[in-house]
Amino acid sequence: MIVGGGFTTAGGVAASRIARYNPTTGVWSALGSGTSSTVNALVVLPNGDLIVGGSFTTAGGVAASRIARYNPTTGVWSALGSGTSSTVNALAVLPGGDVIVGGVF
């Protein structure tokens, strides 16, 4: 399970606004260095990558204007294009894998 929000710790572990929880082991872990500000929305793509939206400007230390992609296999964050001009509040994945983004932009 992956959770996002405005937190800086999850289960006593440092996690900058995004964290993973393993229900089998009960262990929380950070997703790299996280994001620079609040995470409002998360979706999983058909290939297993995670799209994260919010009010941040960096994700995993990479410049990402309020929307970013995380590869759970490699642990690598990347910007999703040039991002958006303001906060992302909602994300949805269409059956073909396209992403719909909603927010204040």
Side-chain angles (χ1 to χ4, degrees), residues 12-73:
V13 174
S16 188
R17 298 165 191 94
I18 189 163
R20 178 182 305 170
Y21 178 74
N22 182 323
T24 303
T25 64
V27 174
W28 285 93
S29 59
L31 268 66
S33 59
T35 63
S36 60
S37 192
T38 305
V39 169
N40 296 331
L42 306 161
V43 292
V44 178
L45 295 177
N47 71 354
D49 283 2
L50 180 69
I51 302 294
V52 179
S55 57
F56 54 86
T57 55
T58 63
V62 174
S65 188
R66 298 164 189 91
I67 190 164
R69 183 181 200 136
Y70 178 77
N71 180 314
T73 303

